[in-house]
Amino acid sequence: MNRPVLLVIAHGSRDPRHAATVQALVRRAGALRPGLRVETAFLDFNLPSVTGVLDRLAAEGARDVVALPLLLTRAFHAKADVPAVLRQAPASLRIRQAEVLGPSPLLVAAVERRLYEAGLAPGDKSATGVVLASAGSTDPEAIAVIAETARELRRTGWCSVRPAFASASLPRTEDAVRALRAEPGVRRVAVAPYVIAPGRLPDRIAAGAAEADVLADVLGPSPELARLLLARYDGATRAAERVTAAAV
């Protein structure tokens, strides 16, 4: 039986670094699973489009697709935009939408990897406050997931962790940096962008980190993120198999 195609759906951006980073991540995930067909599509700004890839897959004879939103939380794009575009797929395709990436311990591990790559070490944790800076959302579920991720990061041993947002929500990165400076025991402040790829909002996070001691990179094509893509794919395929078995 042929394995379903993995279709990774990213938001897209006018910033060319965004698409390049997404493609690098998808290539890394594909390299971890030889023989799995992996495709990339974008909701906006970049090509190929989701509908374009789905039409091509159908024309080539593909039948099963796992559509994976390259999103850290279940906000508007995951709840509305992705399902809407998938409904436009050719009728010959059987499509299952995978869960978004977060929350996951692999994301916490990816954040820590970027902090270490920026110059910190495990021994620095007890004196370092971390701003977990995300793009932002008006969706309460998404905000709650970011807050829980910050708590999970704190449980790994950092002195303090505060969430911050580049848009839609408060506090902003610079305000969280200043708040951490005032906390007892915090001798240095690091900003960890909780975003997948560069773009306008990550640049805003970087600008807000001007007073921080350390600025980590975006999550990008980290090994943990590549593994997480495959874990979400496997979860969706197992769920589809259970439904098929129950129907027999």
Side-chain angles (χ1 to χ4, degrees), residues 30-73:
L32 294 175
R33 189 72 60 87
L36 173 63
R37 182 171 181 178
V38 185
E39 299 278 350
T40 309
F42 298 90
L43 290 171
D44 204 356
F45 301 118
N46 303 106
L47 293 174
S49 67
V50 179
T51 53
V53 173
L54 291 173
D55 288 345
R56 174 166 53 81
L57 288 173
E60 293 173 359
R63 288 294 174 264
D64 294 288
V65 176
V66 170
L68 171 59
L70 195 64
L71 302 167
L72 297 175
T73 62

Side-chain angles (χ1 to χ4, degrees), residues 192-214:
Y194 193 61
V195 293
I196 294 172
R200 179 176 57 87
L201 294 180
D203 283 349
R204 190 178 295 175
I205 290 171
E211 296 179 19
D213 301 294
V214 175

Side-chain angles (χ1 to χ4, degrees), residues 39-236:
E39 299 278 350
T40 309
F42 298 90
L43 290 171
D44 204 356
F45 301 118
N46 303 106
L47 293 174
S49 67
V50 179
T51 53
V53 173
L54 291 173
D55 288 345
R56 174 166 53 81
L57 288 173
E60 293 173 359
R63 288 294 174 264
D64 294 288
V65 176
V66 170
L68 171 59
L70 195 64
L71 302 167
L72 297 175
T73 62
R74 269 183 45 80
F76 182 80
H77 296 306
K79 293 177 179 178
D81 288 345
V82 172
V85 75
L86 292 179
R87 285 194 292 270
Q88 302 174 37
S92 62
L93 292 177
R94 292 184 292 265
I95 300 177
R96 176 170 291 272
Q97 183 175 327
E99 294 295 328
V100 297
L101 301 181
S104 169
L106 285 169
L107 288 171
V108 175
V111 169
E112 289 205 287
R113 172 185 291 276
R114 293 306 190 220
L115 286 167
Y116 296 149
E117 290 172 348
L120 294 172
D124 297 324
K125 282 186 171 185
S126 63
T128 303
V130 177
V131 177
L132 187 69
S134 73
S137 174
T138 58
D139 188 300
E141 180 183 355
I143 297 300
V145 167
I146 298 298
E148 177 56 29
T149 301
R151 288 190 289 269
E152 289 297 321
L153 185 61
R154 169 67 181 83
R155 292 184 188 112
T156 68
W158 298 96
C159 182
S160 181
V161 179
R162 287 176 176 255
F165 307 93
S167 68
S169 310
L170 295 174
R172 295 288 182 258
T173 302
E174 54 269 31
D175 297 324
V177 168
R178 294 182 189 116
L180 280 175
R181 288 272 186 224
E183 286 195 24
V186 174
R187 293 201 293 272
R188 71 181 64 79
V189 175
V191 173
Y194 193 61
V195 293
I196 294 172
R200 179 176 57 87
L201 294 180
D203 283 349
R204 190 178 295 175
I205 290 171
E211 296 179 19
D213 301 294
V214 175
L215 172 62
D217 200 357
V218 298
L219 300 178
S222 64
E224 295 83 4
L225 211 56
R227 287 164 50 202
L228 183 53
L229 263 60
L230 296 176
R232 292 293 185 254
Y233 170 84
D234 290 340

